[in-house]
Amino acid sequence: MSQQGYVAAPPYSQSQPGIGGFSAGFGPPNSALHYGHYGDPNSSYSAPQPGVSKSTVPFGSSAPVGPPPPGTHQFSQTNFQNGPSTPGQQPHRFQGPPPPSSTGPSYPPYSHQSQPAYPNTVSTSPTAQLANQLNSMQINSYGPGTTPSSRMSSGHPASFQGPQLPPPTQQQIALPPGSQVPPPANNVNGLCAQPPLPPVARQDGIPGPVPADPNLQQLSGQPPGPGYHPQPANYGPQMAGSQLSYPGAFPGGLAQLPGPQQKKLDPDSIPSPIQVIENDKASRGGQIYATNTRGQVPPLVTTDCVIQDQGHASPRYIRCTTYCFPSSSDMAKQARIPLAAVIQPFAIVPPNETPLYVVNHGETGPIRCNRCKAYMCPFMQFIEGGRRYQCGFCNCINDVPPFFFQHLDHIGRRIDHYERPELSLGSYEYVATLDYCRNNKPPKPPAYIFMIDVSYRNVNSGLVKLICDELKTLLDKLPREEQEESSAIRVGFVTYNKVLHFFNVKSSLAQPQMMVVSDVGEVFVPLLDGFLVNFQESRSVVINLLDQIPEMFADTNESETIFAPVIQAGMEALKAAECAGKLFIFHSSLPTAEAPGKLRNRDDKKLLNTDKEKTLFQPQVNSYEALARDCVANGCCVNLFLFPNQYVDVASMGLVTMYTGGTLYKYNNFQLDADSPQFLSDLRKDVEKKTGFDAIMRVRTSTGFRATDFFGAIYMNNTTDVEMAAVDCDKAVTVEFKHDDKLNEDSGALIQCAVLYTSISGRRRLRIHNIGLNCSSQLADVYKTCETDALTNFFAKSAFKAILSQPLKTVREILVNQTAHMLACYRKNCASPSAVSQLILPDAMKVLPVYVNCLLKSCVLVGRPEIPTDERAYHRQLVMSMGVADTQLFFYPQLLPIHSLDLKGDTVPAALRCSEERLSEGGAFLLANGLSMFLWLGVSTPPELIQGLFNVPSFAHISTEATSLPDLDNPFSKKLKSILEHIQSRKPYTMKLIIVKQREQPEMLFRQFLVEDKSIYGGASYVDFLCCVHKEICQLLS
């Protein structure tokens, strides 16, 4: 069985110095490898495979510092090119000492050792090992129709295949015994700069095929050409410093050490996420994608196309990690590919696509299978002339209700098939009957309660006035159904510090009335009539109130606040009014006043990288979990806008927001002038969002597999019902499936997601999404239909959930381990034979390593004292409810060269890979990840570009204080503004623009987003991580 893949020979036959050389095995010494999902005993690997000796240095621990044992270490650097293979080309060898060390070796070197102290996987003699290894350092990619050329190395069993690249040029470096193996020179913060790459044709922007350079060729098998003699390098003293937790770590800010430099692997030779995105745009962009085939893989989330529902839900609503499930659980365990769907039930549909149809069966309500309760959908098969139907999920035979009867045509399909959305479409809605309503009563329209912290700091900073002024205009834009004149949503207002102030804004009053609740231990709602009102009816009283609030508290000196009683009060008000709704809470400090939910500052850097680090992500008091449960039970969603200038314990304060399907916004050190636009934009978007309230979601599957795990901004009271006090267009729930029997290849794997909710106008509805996937007993089919972006979403959410209960080190190990395991299984079972030393990646997963590395480097999984705990908890919470498009951009930001804008056309410049090598001193670059946006300016940016964007004459005049670009009437400024708006329009959070000048302090922050480079917090570069994964794969296969 041969399947096209991406083949790369490690450019690292032995140690790629400073991927540091990871330990041979990950995990504690001699322990079983960690495999499978977090904490899942069934899928753990029972023991290391025979012959895999485990290193005593677990991946992620601090390794012994000191020189590796004496012995020859060889590095082979390859320059591979994406182009046709040309057999018989000749590697040119460069000899020379390795680059300067910045930390000394943090791990045993990544090489086949001759010393037993660092055991490895192959047990031939050291000399033979090295010879074999060097001979086999090739990158091959045999595409369809080409055959492997005779470049297999001797001494390795032939094993398999993929698209084809020419033989690499190799570099061989012999180190003297006992010398240190330094980390690779990687241009992070100007440390260890290296010489330019050899003269291969490389086009900046999207790397295309690179012609081989004739000067770098020699016949294979010949001795190395002339070069430097190996020589001892003088590295200076060993540097002290913490050894960081995964490959390629170094403490930030070390001075450059003297020493010779080493040629670096050409990054264009390893799979590029940008190339994958651009190829998909080129082949599928702008086209119509019809969902009429079971198991077809949709265009990537980054590709714009028009989606036509023809029987399976649009990928805007559901994306899967693979569109072909393995037919048995044994196969699934073998491949270890997560079987999951990322469901975004209320995703926004662009205007050129059809909105969902609403089906109304009147009193009888939706038609459902008697046994499994699945809703009528295209997977139901009509039989006996149309009088009965067989359920596609459980195979039960059901009678067709008389009102629904219709004759069948010559192929057994109902003649009204295309007239009924529930028979011909993947997604549609049903009008729900009273049986689907709380207490069998029709629901009331939802309410929005605005709750403003009026403590000293908020009043003093001008925030309270800003909020009140904005609400005066925003309340006219409350969401409404298309056919309705005005919004049915009612509004209420509360202010608070140590006590709560409720306001009566009944339309018949001349002035608003304030009622104070000072018993915050037992909160009650002091008024029912006049608290929740229709804004249009009570407009004058509400405007009057919003004018008065900032004046009323202008002289306050109360700095302590409460928090849990505020949520309790809002929930009790909604409960008393018998409606669902949202609380908008504007809060700025740790709630230290005596009251339920009081918090203390527990931010303790000593817990980092210990088993207790997980407690920093858990709530510090139990009362918030109980409060969240009550909120969900009463349909009360909590949106929290935080304005902290110090630690506020996001893990505790954000918990209710997370469980109720709300959104958390955080504005650190809020400055009225700089941060108002971002905050007001977020507030407007949130208030105007289309949202489903008091929702409950159930995911049904056909026989043979079932939904087992759910990740998102959700609450689970039992194992099947996903409860959400509210669900908006940006929230996604990731669902994992497991086999409970064999799957049938003919009938496939069917999934139905049903969301019961109350609409913004107060109507009870059922939203149904159906999707059919294929099943196969061939692993190659499973790998062929994987979707990397959905896999990234799943891995991020499962890892971010796991850190609540497991040490971060274990979570990181599992991620690396599972990545290696998936790729090793492909290599072993699906690829054509080739040398063990080759890295072979399935085509659909070839950029998975870069995304997994980005995830490992995210601040949530990196415990470093420089990263605020609140920031980590905040990012963790955001990612848990993200859809696939949002996690894709969050983990691999978009980097655009702004200096090459096409001012005449509509095109946006092609994105670049996120690496410092792509920046140029004479350019300007825009980077966005969905939360932050940077405009980076090189020191030699052309003055006309600077004048066009900033209206100042030179680089030196640009102010980095600005958080937006001036409105200028020139083509350049207009074009850039339109690009900023376009990027912003697709994302739930407003990105604040940060202007970064090359070689100035804020550049450190910007560099964290160049995710292919080594991170200042110790994360591996993409190249180094690929080496690490490759080594792990070799170990699994040996």
Side-chain angles (χ1 to χ4, degrees), residues 710-747:
F710 300 84
F711 309 93
I714 53 172
Y715 182 76
M716 303 280 300
N717 216 357
N718 53 38
T719 54
T720 53
D721 294 335
V722 178
E723 297 183 56
M724 297 168 282
V727 53
D728 64 42
C729 54
D730 300 311
K731 299 289 183 288
V733 179
T734 301
V735 184
E736 187 180 9
F737 303 99
K738 293 264 170 70
H739 287 74
D740 44 22
D741 203 350
K742 212 166 159 34
L743 297 178
N744 181 330
E745 293 191 34
D746 297 332
S747 52

Side-chain angles (χ1 to χ4, degrees), residues 285-559:
Q287 302 179 9
I288 289 179
Y289 171 74
T291 66
N292 53 3
T293 311
R294 189 181 81 195
Q296 65 180 341
V297 182
L300 296 179
V301 281
T302 40
T303 300
D304 276 325
C305 58
V306 178
I307 295 165
Q308 226 173 52
D309 185 340
Q310 293 187 6
H312 296 270
S314 155
R316 298 191 198 286
Y317 297 121
I318 303 184
R319 281 187 175 266
C320 299
T321 52
T322 175
Y323 289 83
C324 177
F325 277 12
S327 52
S328 69
S329 64
D330 287 348
M331 253 178 92
K333 282 181 185 131
Q334 191 182 355
R336 293 261 309 280
I337 295 170
L339 307 178
V342 186
I343 305 174
Q344 202 162 331
F346 285 81
I348 291 175
V349 170
N352 58 353
E353 292 177 18
T354 319
L356 295 193
Y357 288 96
V358 179
V359 179
N360 188 348
H361 287 324
E363 297 289 298
T364 52
I367 296 172
R368 303 177 68 175
C369 169
N370 291 328
R371 182 194 291 160
C372 71
K373 301 294 182 228
Y375 294 86
M376 177 56 66
C377 69
F379 306 144
M380 305 297 189
Q381 183 67 47
F382 288 88
I383 52 174
E384 296 179 21
R387 286 188 296 278
R388 308 176 87 182
Y389 68 91
Q390 181 166 18
C391 173
F393 296 92
C394 68
N395 300 322
C396 172
I397 309 274
N398 295 271
D399 290 330
V400 172
F403 81 90
F404 195 67
F405 173 78
Q406 187 51 274
H407 294 285
L408 308 184
D409 63 12
H410 63 290
I411 55 168
R413 187 155 65 188
R414 285 173 54 123
I415 53 181
D416 63 353
H417 177 84
Y418 289 107
E419 292 151 36
R420 289 194 177 270
E422 70 272 37
L423 299 183
S424 56
L425 298 179
S427 302
Y428 43 88
E429 291 204 323
Y430 279 116
V431 172
T433 55
L434 289 180
D435 296 343
Y436 294 89
C437 300
R438 215 180 263 272
N439 306 326
N440 290 22
K441 291 199 314 205
K444 295 180 181 171
Y448 285 1
I449 303 177
F450 297 91
M451 314 185 86
I452 306 170
D453 163 1
V454 290
S455 60
Y456 172 79
R457 219 185 97 224
N458 278 8
V459 173
N460 220 30
S461 67
L463 181 62
V464 172
K465 185 173 187 338
L466 180 74
I467 294 166
C468 292
D469 288 347
E470 177 62 28
L471 288 177
K472 292 177 206 170
T473 53
L474 189 53
L475 294 175
D476 277 320
K477 300 184 185 136
L478 291 170
R480 55 186 172 85
E481 298 279 2
E482 251 107 78
Q483 65 279 13
E484 295 184 355
E485 298 269 313
S486 65
S487 174
I489 292 172
R490 291 169 297 160
V491 294
F493 303 89
V494 172
T495 58
Y496 66 92
N497 39 45
K498 272 166 75 168
V499 295
L500 292 151
H501 320 109
F502 285 77
F503 295 94
N504 182 346
V505 283
K506 200 171 175 181
S507 56
S508 55
L509 295 174
Q511 284 283 335
Q513 296 171 347
M514 177 163 97
M515 303 189 180
V516 179
V517 174
S518 52
D519 180 4
V520 291
E522 292 288 327
V523 176
F524 66 98
V525 183
L527 75 161
L528 287 180
D529 190 29
F531 177 62
L532 294 177
V533 297
N534 178 306
F535 175 63
Q536 303 304 341
E537 291 168 11
S538 292
R539 175 187 292 273
S540 60
V541 193
V542 170
I543 301 285
N544 195 335
L545 171 66
L546 294 171
D547 283 334
Q548 286 182 33
I549 287 175
E551 294 163 18
M552 215 183 293
F553 298 99
D555 301 328
T556 185
N557 55 9
E558 185 53 74
S559 58

Side-chain angles (χ1 to χ4, degrees), residues 49-61:
Q49 300 180 358
V52 178
S53 41
K54 304 294 292 178
S55 145
T56 48
V57 182
F59 180 74
S61 70

Side-chain angles (χ1 to χ4, degrees), residues 331-337 779-780 783 818-831 842 1033 1036-1037:
M331 253 178 92
K333 282 181 185 131
Q334 191 182 355
R336 293 261 309 280
I337 295 170
L779 278 170
Y783 280 96
Q818 184 155 3
T819 304
H821 196 108
M822 286 156 56
L823 299 174
C825 175
Y826 172 80
R827 163 148 200 175
K828 185 176 170 188
N829 299 288
C830 310
I1033 292 169
L1036 288 167
L1037 293 174

Side-chain angles (χ1 to χ4, degrees), residues 609-837:
N609 300 310
T610 70
D611 280 358
K612 289 196 173 160
E613 184 170 5
K614 57 178 177 270
T615 59
L616 296 173
F617 296 103
Q618 300 163 357
Q620 62 170 285
V621 290
N622 294 336
S623 53
Y624 284 102
E625 293 215 25
L627 185 55
R629 190 172 54 241
D630 291 349
C631 284
V632 172
N634 290 289
C636 170
C637 168
V638 179
N639 275 355
L640 180 56
F641 294 80
L642 278 175
F643 305 87
N645 58 4
Q646 56 196 25
Y647 177 75
V648 290
D649 198 352
V650 169
S652 300
M653 293 187 72
L655 190 81
V656 180
T657 298
M658 171 95 149
Y659 278 157
T660 58
T663 310
L664 177 61
Y665 300 90
K666 186 155 85 70
Y667 311 92
N668 298 338
N669 302 313
F670 182 82
Q671 301 293 322
L672 205 61
D673 301 339
D675 302 311
S676 297
Q678 182 192 10
F679 158 58
L680 295 178
S681 165
D682 281 337
L683 177 58
R684 285 170 200 145
K685 274 189 187 175
D686 204 305
V687 166
E688 295 169 26
K689 262 180 197 176
K690 288 277 168 66
T691 303
F693 295 89
D694 200 10
I696 187 160
M697 177 170 112
R698 178 71 75 86
V699 177
R700 292 181 173 83
T701 57
S702 52
T703 51
F705 74 113
R706 63 196 163 84
T708 54
D709 275 301
F710 300 84
F711 309 93
I714 53 172
Y715 182 76
M716 303 280 300
N717 216 357
N718 53 38
T719 54
T720 53
D721 294 335
V722 178
E723 297 183 56
M724 297 168 282
V727 53
D728 64 42
C729 54
D730 300 311
K731 299 289 183 288
V733 179
T734 301
V735 184
E736 187 180 9
F737 303 99
K738 293 264 170 70
H739 287 74
D740 44 22
D741 203 350
K742 212 166 159 34
L743 297 178
N744 181 330
E745 293 191 34
D746 297 332
S747 52
L750 310 179
I751 299 168
Q752 181 178 80
C753 162
V755 185
L756 174 65
Y757 73 99
T758 301
S759 72
I760 44 180
S761 56
R763 295 190 177 88
R764 204 72 175 145
R765 291 270 170 86
L766 274 156
R767 180 170 284 219
I768 312 291
H769 297 298
N770 305 286
I771 190 168
L773 308 176
N774 289 334
C775 299
S776 173
S777 56
Q778 301 296 320
L779 278 170
D781 295 335
V782 181
Y783 280 96
K784 206 173 358 187
T785 59
C786 280
E787 188 185 300
T788 295
D789 294 329
L791 281 166
T792 305
N793 181 284
F794 173 83
F795 282 133
K797 290 187 182 182
S798 56
F800 285 10
K801 183 174 179 180
I803 62 172
L804 294 177
S805 54
Q806 286 174 281
L808 265 78
K809 181 170 150 292
T810 307
V811 174
R812 288 193 298 261
E813 281 165 13
I814 291 170
L815 276 172
V816 177
N817 210 293
Q818 184 155 3
T819 304
H821 196 108
M822 286 156 56
L823 299 174
C825 175
Y826 172 80
R827 163 148 200 175
K828 185 176 170 188
N829 299 288
C830 310
S832 58
S834 76
V836 166
S837 58

Side-chain angles (χ1 to χ4, degrees), residues 99-283:
S101 164
S102 55
T103 54
S106 46
Y107 303 82
Y110 180 45
S111 61
H112 287 300
Q113 292 293 346
S114 47
Q115 269 16 29
Y118 295 84
N120 215 299
T121 52
V122 184
S123 53
T124 51
S125 80
T127 341
Q129 261 172 243
L130 292 172
N132 281 351
Q133 192 87 25
L134 282 171
N135 286 339
S136 62
M137 282 298 115
Q138 305 157 355
I139 290 212
N140 298 322
S141 218
Y142 313 114
T146 59
T147 52
S149 59
S150 58
R151 287 188 277 119
M152 298 270 172
S153 77
S154 56
H156 284 286
S159 78
F160 52 81
Q161 120 187 3
Q164 182 147 355
L165 304 167
T169 56
Q170 295 188 340
Q171 174 184 12
Q172 175 178 346
I173 301 177
L175 288 182
S179 66
Q180 300 176 1
V181 181
N186 216 2
N187 269 352
V188 176
N189 309 323
L191 300 183
C192 316
Q194 47 266 333
L197 292 167
V200 281
R202 215 191 77 213
Q203 163 198 356
D204 267 354
I206 296 171
V210 184
D213 183 338
N215 304 322
L216 298 180
Q217 311 299 329
Q218 271 185 340
L219 286 169
S220 54
Q222 295 215 343
Y228 304 109
H229 288 295
Q231 46 188 296
N234 171 19
Y235 296 122
Q238 177 93 20
M239 298 296 296
S242 61
Q243 298 301 325
L244 303 176
S245 50
Y246 48 110
F250 65 88
L254 289 173
Q256 182 164 353
L257 297 175
Q261 292 175 320
Q262 177 190 338
K263 186 177 137 291
K264 186 166 154 262
L265 166 71
D266 176 6
D268 283 350
S269 55
I270 55 180
S272 158
I274 300 300
Q275 189 71 61
V276 168
I277 289 168
E278 292 299 326
N279 290 351
D280 196 69
K281 282 181 180 170
S283 62

